[in-house]
């Protein structure tokens, strides 16, 4: 785009890049909320976490096994969400699988590791992944505490 076209439309390459990043982050936010919702529903059904059943359940070794299974499945759900972001990072950067997963897990868990070789045109995604991860981890925690209170 030459400067005459840029002046006529009022849109430069930076604005287009930012708009693309914002659109992709919005897509990721929606996708992760849907994925997390489906994951928690699947976990609830798999472990039969209905309120009536939990209220009748005694807190014994069986309850410990139930909670351990619940925690493990929630961890797997978060790992799947990290992997989705990691695959995206592999596709838009020069990262290999291990680097992309490490970057994704670091962002998701809000640890803040940055990839020096990550393209500037996509760096907003990592920051938004941290926000998404923070919210989804909190959601999982609230869901687990609510379930535990019923035991």
């Amino acid at each position: 785009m030459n400067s005459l076209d840029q002046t006529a439309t009022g849109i430069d390459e930076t604005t287009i890049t930012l708009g693309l990043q914002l659109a992709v982050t919005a897509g990721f936010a929606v996708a992760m909320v849907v994925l997390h919702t489906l994951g928690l529903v699947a976990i609830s059904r798999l472990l039969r976490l209905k309120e009536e059943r939990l209220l009748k359940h005694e807190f014994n070794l069986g309850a410990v096994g139930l909670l351990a299974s619940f925690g493990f499945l929630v961890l797997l759900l978060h790992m799947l969400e990290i992997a989705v972001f990691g695959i995206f990072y592999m596709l838009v950067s020069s990262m290999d699988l291990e680097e992309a997963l490490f970057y994704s897990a670091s962002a998701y868990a809000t640890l803040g590791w940055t990839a020096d070789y990550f393209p500037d045109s996509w760096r907003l995604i990592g920051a938004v992944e941290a926000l998404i991860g923070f919210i989804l981890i909190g959601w999982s925690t609230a869901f687990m505490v609510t379930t535990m209170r019923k035991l």
Side-chain angles (χ1 to χ4, degrees), residues 11 14 20 23 47 60-61 63 71 75 127 141 148-150:
I11 300 174
T14 304
L20 180 59
L47 297 178
N60 54 21
L61 195 55
L75 176 64
T141 302
M148 287 175 48
R149 288 191 70 217
K150 294 175 185 174

Side-chain angles (χ1 to χ4, degrees), residues 9 25 29 32 37 45 51 61 73 78 90 95 103 120 128:
T9 62
T25 57
M32 291 299 118
T37 300
R45 288 187 178 169
E51 186 170 355
L61 195 55
L73 291 171
H78 286 287
M90 277 181 42
M95 291 184 194
Y103 178 77
D120 286 346
V128 172

Side-chain angles (χ1 to χ4, degrees), residues 19-133:
L20 180 59
Q21 284 189 79
L22 292 173
V24 171
T25 57
F28 266 118
V30 170
M32 291 299 118
V33 166
V34 169
L35 179 60
H36 205 74
T37 300
L38 294 174
L40 291 177
V41 168
I43 290 168
S44 295
R45 288 187 178 169
L46 179 69
L47 297 178
R48 300 185 351 243
L49 298 177
K50 292 188 178 186
E51 186 170 355
E52 311 83 50
R53 181 174 176 268
L54 291 173
L55 290 173
K56 292 178 187 176
H57 207 291
E58 291 184 30
F59 195 81
N60 54 21
L61 195 55
V64 172
L66 177 67
L67 292 174
S69 299
F70 189 24
F72 179 73
L73 291 171
V74 169
L75 176 64
L76 287 179
L77 176 58
H78 286 287
M79 290 173 67
L80 173 63
E81 293 160 354
I82 288 167
V84 169
F85 277 102
I87 290 167
F88 173 79
Y89 298 145
M90 277 181 42
L91 295 173
V92 300
S93 73
S94 61
M95 291 184 194
D96 62 25
L97 179 61
E98 190 273 335
E99 291 168 324
L101 290 175
F102 181 77
Y103 178 77
S104 180
S106 177
Y108 191 93
T110 67
L111 297 175
W113 182 75
T114 59
D116 295 332
Y117 43 86
F118 197 68
D120 286 346
S121 59
W122 292 108
R123 66 183 175 184
L124 182 60
I125 305 292
V128 172
E129 182 183 2
L131 178 60
I132 291 169

